[in-house]
Amino acid sequence: MRKDEERHVSEATLRRFFRAELSRRDTADLVRHLLTQCPRCLDTAIAVGAQEGFVFTPDGFQPERFATDPDLYNATFLNLLRSGEATQARLAAEKLRGIGLFALLEEKKREKRLDLIRKDRRFHSWGLFTRLMEKSQEYSRNDPAGGVHLAEMAVAVAETLDPEEHKPSLIADFHAAALANLGNARRLAADFEGARTSIQEAWEALKPGTGDPLEEANVVSLEASLLRDLGDVEGAIALLDRAFEIYQELDDTNQQARTLIQQANALGGVDPAQAIPLLQEALALLDSAEHPRLELSARHNLVLYLNDAGQTQEALALLEISRPLYQNFGDAWTQLRLHFVEGRIARALGHLAEAEATFRFVWYDLEARGMHYELTLVSIDLAEVYVAQRKFEPATRLMDDFYPVLKSWGMHAEGLAVWLLLRDAVAKHAEEKKILEAAAFRQTAQYYHRAWRIPLEAPDATADA
């Protein structure tokens, strides 16, 4: 072998690197060599990395997508190596190791993973910590129990990080972030006591931290989400005010926008008019090129709340100019949200047959997805449209049939009583062949927005506004 070939990294060594099988010293040597910007080794790393299935999507590394989309191989890591930034290169390499370590854990039985993390030093890795944080957030929406499990693993990894590799204050930040993330995962799994406990522990863990205001803002934001779910809209808004102040001090306009969107979402279900200026301000602050999905979320909710506040023509105009943005995200959930707001606008414009057809489509889709809260709101919308068309029989039948469904979900007694109040009002007006005013349906929807988890005093669903 020629002398220059001896200095190049072999495919076998690179393969072991991507599989997280190299020692710490060998990993450091490999990264150090790649930092010399050796074009041959960089090209080999690209090829081997692709063979090992490391690809990149907007949601992070997704090894499973390699087979169908090899062109998505992540160039970010190698670009960092070419840049000569040793710290960034080390972090990128650690993230890649974290992917491999996560894959190893996935091969183990769920009940053995936490014990393995605590006992095996290979898993005491910041890269694994970041991977678990990302995956727990990804899982929590569609698999809440899986999200909690992954969040618990992230906490375990944070607790085992080596203080010789990371400053103790930085480890405290990681630990606090992991606990806050666990609290959020538990919230999404409807374990609200567990969520409260984890958030409280996050605040305690943050005390010996670096003092980074972003870490405080993260815990504040997640605690606000918990308060919102528990119906404490005012408490959530107050916390988010604090997060907004932090982002203002840091001149982070995108996070300011995100916080305003959170506030609007908390307010919109009870007072859509108050949510409108918050979303308008958020859109003015947001870098839409950098955060197109967040822009879509803000626009969608602005359309919804404009319509709910009686500004239907404005809502329709904004919806029409926003359609290309909806089309940019072709996933089923985005399109379902589009149909929902279309149904709301059709109802407000008096196009009742079209609204009914749209709400029925959305209803069956939400039922298939098991989205209980959203399905309840659409059931109220559908019942209202039935009544407005004097279709009293299907309206009464829907109200009757949905009550045991609510009960089977564990709805509290007060929430069940609210449903029966609306059901009785619908039945009474059906007997009298009278249209029940829209205010009764809106009050019921607002009740569930505030009291989906924690009961409140029932509204009067019988009054004709």
Side-chain angles (χ1 to χ4, degrees):
M1 181 182 294
R2 296 196 309 270
K3 219 169 191 181
D4 62 333
E5 290 183 336
E6 292 177 357
R7 292 196 297 268
H8 292 304
V9 181
S10 70
E11 288 190 15
T13 300
L14 283 163
R15 200 172 304 282
R16 291 182 64 205
F17 167 75
F18 281 106
R19 294 177 181 179
E21 295 173 353
L22 287 181
S23 68
R24 186 178 302 168
R25 179 172 180 177
D26 288 343
T27 298
D29 289 343
L30 184 150
V31 171
R32 192 176 300 113
H33 174 70
L34 292 177
L35 284 170
T36 66
Q37 304 180 29
C38 170
R40 173 172 169 177
C41 292
L42 288 174
D43 289 343
T44 305
I46 289 173
V48 172
Q51 291 166 13
E52 290 299 309
F54 290 104
V55 298
F56 186 72
T57 74
D59 297 321
F61 290 101
Q62 302 291 339
E64 63 274 13
R65 290 192 58 184
F66 168 67
T68 58
D69 201 353
D71 292 335
L72 287 175
Y73 173 74
N74 176 51
T76 301
F77 168 64
L78 297 171
N79 287 338
L80 287 171
L81 295 182
R82 289 189 175 102
S83 75
E85 294 290 339
T87 300
Q88 289 182 315
R90 180 178 61 80
L91 294 178
E94 181 67 10
K95 281 189 175 182
L96 284 179
R97 286 193 66 245
I99 294 168
L101 292 169
F102 178 74
L104 289 176
L105 284 172
E106 284 192 304
E107 295 172 357
K108 309 299 180 182
K109 291 183 178 180
R110 179 173 287 196
E111 60 271 18
K112 294 184 177 180
R113 293 173 184 170
L114 284 171
D115 191 51
L116 188 61
I117 285 172
R118 295 186 179 104
K119 292 181 178 178
D120 191 331
R121 288 186 59 83
R122 287 182 303 167
F123 298 109
H124 303 174
S125 157
W126 175 83
L128 176 59
F129 167 75
T130 60
R131 182 63 168 170
L132 287 167
M133 292 284 281
E134 292 168 359
K135 297 300 286 186
S136 67
Q137 292 162 16
E138 175 187 324
Y139 271 62
S140 288
R141 289 294 174 185
N142 299 316
D143 178 10
V148 169
H149 173 66
L150 291 168
E152 289 173 338
M153 292 165 65
V155 171
V157 173
E159 291 172 345
T160 61
L161 292 176
D162 189 347
E164 293 185 3
E165 292 187 21
H166 307 280
K167 293 180 179 179
S169 59
L170 195 56
I171 292 176
D173 283 357
F174 296 152
H175 191 205
L179 286 166
N181 182 57
L182 176 58
N184 197 51
R186 286 174 168 168
R187 172 184 71 86
L188 293 169
D191 175 11
F192 296 104
E193 285 306 311
R196 283 185 188 276
T197 299
S198 295
I199 294 293
Q200 290 169 358
E201 290 175 347
W203 283 119
E204 289 300 313
L206 205 57
K207 289 178 180 178
T210 61
D212 185 346
L214 284 173
E215 298 299 334
E216 179 189 350
N218 177 57
V219 181
V220 165
S221 177
L222 294 179
E223 185 174 9
S225 295
L226 175 61
L227 292 184
R228 181 200 63 208
D229 277 13
L230 294 176
D232 185 1
V233 172
E234 293 76 17
I237 297 299
L239 279 176
L240 290 168
D241 280 340
R242 172 57 188 149
F244 186 82
E245 290 172 1
I246 293 172
Y247 294 130
Q248 272 190 318
E249 292 168 4
L250 297 172
D251 197 26
D252 189 333
T253 57
N254 286 318
Q255 286 298 339
Q256 290 173 48
R258 190 184 298 274
T259 304
L260 289 169
I261 293 169
Q262 280 186 271
Q263 288 186 317
N265 291 344
L267 275 172
V270 294
D271 191 344
Q274 284 195 43
I276 290 169
L278 294 174
L279 290 168
Q280 291 169 332
E281 185 180 354
L283 285 166
L285 289 167
L286 186 64
D287 183 340
S288 56
E290 187 177 349
H291 298 283
R293 186 171 282 279
L294 194 58
E295 181 192 14
L296 175 60
S297 177
R299 284 203 196 190
H300 173 85
N301 288 326
L302 183 53
V303 170
L304 181 64
Y305 300 143
L306 281 168
N307 182 69
D308 288 353
Q311 301 178 49
T312 302
Q313 292 300 329
E314 292 86 344
L316 182 59
L318 180 58
L319 176 63
E320 289 308 307
I321 65 173
S322 300
R323 286 190 184 278
L325 193 54
Y326 281 99
Q327 292 169 2
N328 288 342
F329 298 95
D331 60 282
W333 175 235
T334 296
Q335 299 311 306
L336 185 62
R337 295 176 76 208
L338 171 60
H339 295 320
F340 171 71
V341 79
E342 287 173 335
R344 284 284 186 91
I345 291 175
R347 180 190 64 198
L349 291 172
H351 303 159
L352 300 179
E354 293 84 352
E356 177 191 335
T358 302
F359 286 143
R360 284 170 63 87
F361 171 81
V362 172
W363 195 97
Y364 286 113
D365 201 328
L366 291 172
E367 182 188 37
R369 293 169 181 268
M371 303 186 74
H372 299 173
Y373 171 71
E374 292 83 358
L375 185 60
T376 301
L377 296 186
V378 172
S379 297
I380 295 169
D381 287 328
L382 185 55
E384 179 186 348
V385 170
Y386 280 145
V387 169
Q389 298 176 91
R390 295 184 177 275
K391 294 184 176 181
F392 297 116
E393 183 179 342
T396 304
R397 185 167 60 249
L398 173 61
M399 299 298 296
D400 284 339
D401 291 347
F402 202 73
Y403 176 82
V405 175
L406 270 178
K407 193 172 183 179
S408 71
W409 292 340
M411 173 56 63
H412 47 75
E414 291 82 353
L416 294 174
V418 167
W419 190 264
L420 289 178
L421 278 173
L422 183 61
R423 185 268 174 208
D424 291 346
V426 169
K428 176 185 174 183
H429 283 70
E431 291 174 3
E432 299 173 358
K433 304 299 181 184
K434 289 173 56 180
I435 303 297
L436 180 61
E437 295 294 331
F441 297 96
R442 299 283 65 75
Q443 288 170 7
T444 303
Q446 288 170 5
Y447 175 85
Y448 288 118
H449 181 78
R450 274 192 177 271
W452 185 252
R453 304 296 183 186
I454 304 296
L456 299 171
E457 184 179 350
D460 182 2
T462 62
D464 286 345

